[in-house]
Amino acid sequence: MPFRLKPHKPYSFFIEHTERSGSKLFADQLHDQLAKETHRPIVLVCIGSDRSTGDSLGPLVGTFLEERSVRNIHVYGTLTKPVHALNLVETLHEVQTRFHRPLIIAIDACLGRLSSVGYIFFSEGPLAPGAGVQKELPSVGEYNIKAVVNVSGFMEMMILQNTRLHLVYELARFITDGFAEFDSRIGRLPQEEAAITRLRQSRDESKS
């Protein structure tokens, strides 16, 4: 009897940046989704500009992660070298040239409903940067992370320009803490595997 395969439902998770132990929960989700892909280079493309308060989320995350010296994540987009509309295509070409089968995760600020301001959304699928401000740019990533920094409506560019830096800073810190925790976990994976192997060998020797 013929049957239909159920369509794949893309993964999606969201959390408010003020939630208690929220960064750890965020790291848990990153680990659950991405740990199986750690054989591939993990590349964060942090999109945004330091010339707009609301749009500075991506460069802030990139800068904070560089300061944390993450070992297993490659970061593009910082306050010093932001990734924005003018160099996005060039940056993506560099990533694809430098890495073999990179797992790209795009990070960007966005506007949304009032009830969503302060939330971080982690989803499977590419990010469409610039869509909220009517810019046509290439889609980015296999996963995307969006942080809602202000309310959408008319004059989005003006809204981004007048977004509170404190909120953007806190959202960027939240995302950074989650990725730093995730980085430390996947950095421990080889050691944990070695410890498990030694334990199994010890048990086998005791049985023989």
Side-chain angles (χ1 to χ4, degrees):
M1 181 177 179
F3 65 94
R4 288 185 178 180
L5 293 174
K6 291 184 178 180
H8 171 69
K9 186 176 181 180
Y11 164 84
S12 183
F13 169 80
F14 63 91
I15 189 169
E16 191 171 11
H17 79 287
T18 56
E19 184 164 333
R20 187 175 180 180
S21 301
S23 290
K24 183 181 181 302
L25 295 174
F26 179 50
D28 291 342
Q29 294 297 317
L30 291 172
H31 188 270
D32 289 347
Q33 288 299 307
L34 306 178
K36 61 182 179 294
E37 299 284 0
T38 52
H39 61 286
R40 300 168 60 190
I42 297 176
V43 180
L44 297 190
V45 178
C46 305
I47 301 167
S49 170
D50 60 338
R51 297 187 179 188
S52 169
T53 306
D55 202 27
S56 64
L57 174 96
L60 281 171
V61 172
T63 299
F64 292 158
L65 283 170
E66 280 199 343
E67 291 174 351
R68 300 283 280 270
S69 299
V70 290
R71 295 178 299 169
N72 305 289
I73 300 171
H74 306 277
V75 178
Y76 284 79
T78 63
L79 291 172
T80 305
K81 295 181 64 176
V83 174
H84 45 64
L86 298 179
N87 65 1
L88 178 60
V89 173
E90 176 187 345
T91 300
L92 294 177
H93 176 73
E94 179 181 337
V95 170
Q96 294 293 347
T97 302
R98 179 181 174 188
F99 301 102
H100 175 63
R101 295 184 63 243
L103 175 63
I104 299 175
I105 304 166
I107 299 176
D108 199 3
C110 71
L111 302 174
R113 293 177 297 181
L114 178 61
S115 59
S116 298
V117 174
Y119 276 80
I120 292 102
F121 292 80
F122 173 38
S123 306
E124 185 179 1
L127 175 76
V133 289
Q134 288 76 53
K135 290 183 180 179
E136 291 188 12
L137 297 170
S139 298
V140 183
E142 293 182 39
Y143 288 87
N144 72 82
I145 293 170
K146 294 180 288 188
V148 185
V149 298
N150 212 330
V151 181
S152 60
F154 296 104
M155 302 178 68
E156 280 87 355
M157 292 299 295
M158 184 69 71
I159 291 172
L160 284 172
Q161 291 281 359
N162 289 280
T163 295
R164 288 197 64 205
L165 178 60
H166 175 71
L167 175 60
V168 179
Y169 179 91
E170 290 297 318
L171 288 164
R173 280 293 185 197
F174 182 100
I175 295 170
T176 300
D177 289 345
F179 270 104
E181 171 66 20
F182 168 66
D183 178 71
S184 68
R185 293 185 192 182
I186 62 176
R188 290 197 301 263
L189 287 178
Q191 292 89 336
E192 291 172 353
E193 187 65 33
I196 292 171
T197 300
R198 288 195 298 270
L199 179 61
R200 287 174 177 169
Q201 290 174 344
S202 176
R203 287 176 177 174
D204 291 341
E205 289 173 359
S206 63
K207 290 179 181 178
S208 59

